[in-house]
């Protein structure tokens, strides 16, 4: 960190009533599983946080959980954050320990992953290709207990709202369509006629703005309407003896 940058950070922190003071006094533990990103994140956050590499003394899935006056900021990758949050949910919370605020830095591939992280307790989600300024803005917001989504993540979540317009039957047809099943096979699994399935597929193509079944499946995955685990046949036919 340059002398000018450090001076600016200290001036920001010392300003009367400035939120920067709270940010400087907050701890940021970086447990991102990419060593290069982890080092860069610690460096980028150091002007405004007591940032440290949490992977040096603890595994990524069990980051140290100090008990400061303010909840610590924990910066992690998507899978590492979800694993840590799932593990923490099974353990009793220690008295006097502040609840950590989680910020995920990763590749924003589709809205489903972002929604999954937010549902698990993550407050912020930022693309790994973001600028240093956006990273710091996100970190300060999350450290203060506010949600923060980068433009890419917010856009994908907005597109994913289409899922609320799909009927339960359309969701079923879409999942099976994504596995490559034809109308007859889908109808056999759902107990409906192929013509009914054809009508559902036509409606799905219109709602997704797709021209083909392949394009519809690709668009559904991109928007997070179908999770990767749903690519297996959701209603397999019984195997003949």
């Amino acid at each position: 960190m340059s002398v000018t940058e450090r001076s600016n950070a200290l001036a920001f922190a010392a300003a009367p009533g400035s939120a920067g003071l709270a940010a400087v006094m907050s701890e940021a533990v970086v447990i991102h599983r990419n060593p290069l990103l982890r080092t860069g994140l610690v460096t980028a956050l150091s002007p405004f946080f007591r940032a440290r590499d949490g992977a040096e003394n603890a595994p990524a899935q069990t980051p140290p959980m100090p008990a400061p006056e303010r909840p610590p900021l924990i910066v992690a990758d998507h899978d590492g954050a979800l694993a840590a949050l799932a593990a923490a949910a099974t353990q009793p919370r220690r008295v006097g320990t502040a609840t950590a605020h989680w910020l995920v830095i990763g590749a924003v591939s589709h809205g489903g992953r972002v929604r999954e992280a937010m549902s698990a307790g993550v407050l912020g989600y930022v693309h790994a290709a973001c600028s240093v300024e956006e990273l710091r803005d996100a970190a300060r917001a999350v450290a203060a207990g506010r949600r923060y989504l980068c433009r890419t993540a917010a856009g994908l979540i907005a597109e994913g709202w289409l899922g609320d317009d799909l009927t339960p039957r359309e969701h079923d047809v879409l999942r099976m369509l994504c596995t490559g099943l034809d109308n007859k096979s889908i109808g056999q699994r759902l107990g409906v006629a192929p013509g009914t399935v054809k009508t559902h597929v036509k409606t799905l193509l219109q709602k997704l703005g797709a021209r083909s079944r392949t394009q519809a499946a690709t668009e559904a995955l991109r928007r997070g309407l179908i999770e990767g685990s749903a690519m297996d046949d959701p209603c397999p036919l019984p195997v003949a003896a």
Side-chain angles (χ1 to χ4, degrees), residues 89-214:
T90 63
Q91 300 176 358
R93 180 179 169 183
R94 292 179 295 174
V95 178
T97 301
T99 301
H101 292 161
W102 289 80
L103 172 62
V104 167
I105 309 294
V108 185
S109 54
H110 59 73
R113 283 175 64 82
V114 181
R115 289 195 298 273
E116 178 187 28
M118 304 300 272
S119 297
V122 170
L123 284 181
Y125 211 108
V126 177
H127 199 288
C130 71
S131 65
V132 174
E133 290 74 16
E134 181 169 32
L135 169 66
R136 290 171 176 171
D137 288 343
R140 284 193 288 262
V142 171
R146 301 191 303 271
R147 291 191 181 277
Y148 188 100
L149 294 176
C150 68
R151 180 176 298 180
T152 302
L156 289 172
I157 285 184
E159 288 183 344
W161 283 345
L162 169 64
D164 297 334
D165 295 331
L166 299 182
T167 67
R169 179 61 81 192
E170 287 170 349
H171 272 292
D172 293 337
V173 173
L174 181 59
R175 284 197 299 271
M176 295 182 192
L177 183 150
C178 286
T179 66
L181 295 177
D182 57 22
N183 290 351
K184 182 179 179 180
S185 299
I186 294 175
Q188 289 176 337
R189 286 160 174 76
L190 296 179
V192 298
T196 302
V197 176
K198 182 178 180 180
T199 300
H200 285 311
V201 171
K202 183 178 180 180
T203 301
L204 286 170
L205 293 180
Q206 292 175 344
K207 289 185 175 181
L208 291 169
R211 297 182 178 180
S212 67
R213 300 167 71 95
T214 300

